[in-house]
Amino acid sequence: NSEDVRCKCICPPYKDHSGKIYNKNVSQKDCDCLHVVEPMPVPGPDVEAYCLRCECKYEERSSVTIKVSNVILLA
């Protein structure tokens, strides 16, 4: 399921840009700032410095297990 995987990048404030959380469904190898942060909030020369501050994590979950657990808890 494409909704069961995502890359989450947490980017702190940088210069005059506020911090932001970015989520995108990408493969594990593409889980980095350059593939997830769109649109890039900083101009070309600042991209590398901005991306070095971002923390990106690849996340997987099983939505079927979550749904079954919810049904059991609500029953």
Side-chain angles (χ1 to χ4, degrees), residues 55-70:
E55 183 181 337
C56 297
K57 290 184 180 177
Y58 185 74
E59 299 176 343
E60 292 182 79
R61 66 179 183 186
S62 173
S63 58
V64 173
T65 302
I66 293 169
K67 289 175 185 175
V68 169
S69 297
N70 286 340

Side-chain angles (χ1 to χ4, degrees), residues 2-15:
S2 63
E3 294 109 24
D4 286 348
V5 296
R6 72 176 180 179
C7 181
K8 180 179 182 180
C9 291
I10 301 172
C11 300
Y14 178 77
K15 293 188 177 178

Side-chain angles (χ1 to χ4, degrees), residues 7-63:
C7 181
K8 180 179 182 180
C9 291
I10 301 172
C11 300
Y14 178 77
K15 293 188 177 178
D16 59 343
H17 300 281
S18 60
K20 191 167 180 187
I21 297 174
Y22 298 88
N23 291 304
K24 191 171 184 185
N25 291 336
V26 295
S27 66
Q28 190 169 7
K29 70 177 183 70
D30 290 333
C31 184
D32 59 36
C33 174
L34 294 175
H35 290 97
V36 176
V37 176
E38 291 180 354
M40 187 61 68
V42 296
D46 288 334
V47 169
E48 185 176 358
Y50 181 79
C51 281
L52 286 173
R53 299 169 55 92
C54 296
E55 183 181 337
C56 297
K57 290 184 180 177
Y58 185 74
E59 299 176 343
E60 292 182 79
R61 66 179 183 186
S62 173
S63 58

